[in-house]
Amino acid sequence: VELAHIDWLQRHTPPDPRLVAGIGDDAAVFAPFGAAPLVAAVDVITDLVDFRIAEVTPEQIGHKALGVNLSDLAAMAARPLAYLAALVLPQRVGDEPPAAELAQGIHRGMQRLATAHHVALAGGDTNTWSGPLAVSVTALGLCTGRGPLLRSGAQPGDWLLVTGPLGGSLLGRHLAVAPRVELMIALHAAYELHAAIDISDGLALDAARLATASACGVELDLAAIPVHDDAARMAQGTGRTPLDHALGDGEDFEILVAAPPAEAARMLAEAPRATQLTRVGQCVEEPGLWQRTGRGERIPLPPRGYQH
Amino acid sequence: VELAHIDWLQRHTPPDPRLVAGIGDDAAVFAPFGAAPLVAAVDVITDLVDFRIAEVTPEQIGHKALGVNLSDLAAMAARPLAYLAALVLPQRVGDEPPAAELAQGIHRGMQRLATAHHVALAGGDTNTWSGPLAVSVTALGLCTGRGPLLRSGAQPGDWLLVTGPLGGSLLGRHLAVAPRVELMIALHAAYELHAAIDISDGLALDAARLATASACGVELDLAAIPVHDDAARMAQGTGRTPLDHALGDGEDFEILVAAPPAEAARMLAEAPRATQLTRVGQCVEEPGLWQRTGRGERIPLPPRGYQH
C-alpha cells in the first residue's frame, strides 16, 4: 500500500511555494521563514508490524518510534529540534501492562534518545482503544548553514557511500536505532554532498529511490557492500546469503550518501575508522538499479526490499 | 488515561529553552528562530472512539483528523502552515473499502479542508495492519504579529466568550469540524485577548483547564450559555437537559476566549452577528470552576466532560 499511496499522494498534492521538498523525500523542507529552513518528518510504528509488544519493552518501542524519525532528519543533515508523539494504547489485555504504564515506558524510551540528541518534546496526544498499540512521531529539525540534503541531488559519476554495515537488523538492531544525526551534520559541513537517503527498507530499494529522485541510475558493487554480522547469523536460519540480507532486509538506519568522487575519496581517507564509511557503488547515467559483476559487467539488480 | 498521562508527562519532561509553551496547551510554541514563532499540535483519532468507520465516509474521517488540529491552532490564534499525516489502515475486512481506497478518501477529506485554510501537506506515513483505523495528524502554524494566545494568560475579572453554540455534536457536528482559524486571527489582531482554549472535551472541563493554566477560577453563567439545537435534540433521547449536553458533550470545536471586560464588551458590540460570540461567564480569583445561580450565588460546578 505505502509506495502506491505515496505515488498517488504526490500526484494529488498541489505544489506549495512554502515547501522546498514535500511528499517523497525523507522529510519535508520548508521555505525559510527564519534563519534556517525547517524540516519535518512523520513515521508511525505499530504492534505486529514494527515490533511485537510481548517481546519488547515499552522503552524499546519509544526508542524506535523516535529513532526512525531522527534517522529521517539525519538523511537531510538537519539538526533535530523537537518531536510530537501520538500514542494509541491498547486497553489492558491479559498480562500486558496497563495503558498508563505502557505510555510512560514509551515516553521514557523516547526521552532518553531525545536527551542524547538534544531534542525537545513539543506535544503529545494519547488515546486508549480496543485495538493494538500504534505510536506516531513527528520530528522537527532545522537545516544547518549548508541547507538541506535531498534525495534528488545525485549526479552520474557520484560515488555512493554507506555509514555502516547492513543486514539482519531483525535480530535486534531494528529496535536499537542509532540515528546518524551528528555524523551526517559533520559530513555535510566538511564535504560537498549531493544527496542522501536513510536505509529503512533495504539498500537495494532505497538506492533505487535515490536514483529515481535524482533522475539517474545507481550501480552497486556487491562485493563492496559491508555485510553486518547479523546478516550472516540470519542467513544460517533462512538459507539465503548474507549479502541478500544486506541488500534487502532494511531497518538498518544507516545513510546512503552520494558525493562527487574527489570529495567521496577525501571523506573515506579522512574519516575516523569508527564511522565505518564504505563505498558501495556509484551513480550512472542509465536510469535504474544495476550491479557490477566480478567481470566488470553491468546487469540489472532487482530493487527488492521491505515493501509495506 | 489521557489527563493523568499529560500530568505525568508535564512532571517528567525537562524544560527546554527552545519552547515557549510545551505539553499542556492546545499546541506547542517554539521560541522564535525566525520572523514568527512556530506552533505545533498533534491529535490522533481512531475508529471506535472518534468515529465508526461503518457509519462515516473516508472523507469525513480525513476532515475531522485535520480539523481537530486546526482547531488547536485556532485556539492559539496561529495561522496554519502545513500538516503531516500518519495513517494506520486496516486490511480489508468484509465490506470495508480496501486500504488504498480508504487512504485516498481520507486524504481527499484532509486536502479539501487544507485548501480552504491554505495549509500544505508536508509529509505522510502509511502503514497497514490487522488492527482498526487510526489517523494521526501534526499541524504546524505560525504566530501572527500579536504572538501566540496561550491558555495561561487569563486574569480575574476577564470576561469569557465562546464563538458558537454548544452541545449535541455527536449528532454530526463532531465530524464536520469548522475550525475557527480566521475568526481567532481576526479577533487577536483587533482586540486584546488574554487566553483561549478550544472546546474539545466540553465547556465545563475545558473552562476548568483554562482556569488551572491561568491560576485563577472560572465562573460560568449557566443561563447565558448558547445551547445548540443539537443539544436539545440529544436531550430528547437521553433524558438529560440540553444545558447538560452543552456543558459536557465536547467536540464542539468552538473557542473559549478570555479578555478584559472593556475589550470583551467591544468585541460583543462590534462582532458581525454571524460570528455568534456570546459571553458565558468570567474569571474569578477563587481557583476552581463555579456557576452563578439565578439568585446571584456562586456554587461549585463539577468539571464534567469527555474524559479520555
Side-chain angles (χ1 to χ4, degrees), chain A residues 2 5 8 12 16 18 28 33-35 43-44 46 48 103-104 107 111 118 120 122 125-127 129-130 136 138, chain B residues 2 5 8 12 16 18-19 28 33-35 43-44 46 48 103-104 107 111 118 120 122 125-127 129-130 136 138:
Chain A
E2 197 199 17
H5 183 64
W8 181 88
H12 288 81
D16 193 292
R18 291 169 296 182
F33 50 85
D43 265 301
V44 56
T46 63
L48 311 174
Q104 291 173 17
H107 270 282
Q111 205 163 81
H118 194 50
D125 188 25
T126 307
N127 288 351
W129 73 345
S130 55
S136 166
T138 300
Chain B
E2 198 200 18
H5 183 64
W8 181 88
H12 289 81
D16 192 292
R18 292 168 297 181
L19 291 173
F33 50 85
D43 265 302
V44 56
T46 63
L48 311 173
Q104 292 173 15
H107 270 281
Q111 205 164 81
H118 194 49
D125 187 25
T126 307
N127 288 351
W129 72 346
S130 55
S136 167
T138 299

Side-chain angles (χ1 to χ4, degrees), chain A residues 25-26 71-72 74-77 149-154 158-166 180 183-184 187 193-214 216-221 224-226 246-247 252-259 264 267 276-283 288-290 301:
Chain A
D25 214 310
D26 293 283
S71 182
D72 284 326
M76 317 291 285
L149 186 59
L150 305 180
R151 288 185 186 179
S152 56
D158 282 353
W159 286 15
L160 290 167
L161 313 183
V162 290
T163 56
L166 309 174
R180 302 302 182 201
L183 173 62
M184 287 305 300
L187 292 178
L193 309 183
H194 279 171
I197 187 171
D198 88 314
I199 302 176
S200 53
D201 294 336
L203 173 62
L205 186 52
D206 288 317
R209 286 175 178 152
L210 183 140
T212 302
S214 296
C216 65
V218 157
E219 180 189 79
L220 294 179
D221 178 1
I225 292 168
L247 279 170
D252 301 296
F253 303 112
E254 299 292 348
I255 311 290
L256 180 68
V257 182
M267 247 189 293
Q276 299 189 270
L277 267 186
T278 309
R279 182 185 173 191
V280 295
Q282 59 181 331
C283 296
L289 185 65
W290 308 90
L301 178 66

Side-chain angles (χ1 to χ4, degrees), chain A residues 222-268:
Chain A
L222 300 194
I225 292 168
V227 178
H228 199 282
D229 290 346
D230 288 341
R233 284 170 56 210
M234 284 271 295
Q236 289 169 9
T238 62
R240 291 160 52 199
T241 66
L243 176 63
D244 197 46
H245 283 287
L247 279 170
D249 282 357
E251 304 228 298
D252 301 296
F253 303 112
E254 299 292 348
I255 311 290
L256 180 68
V257 182
E263 288 290 293
R266 200 160 64 85
M267 247 189 293
L268 289 170

Side-chain angles (χ1 to χ4, degrees), chain B residues 251-262:
Chain B
E251 303 230 298
D252 301 296
F253 303 111
E254 300 293 348
I255 311 289
L256 180 67
V257 181

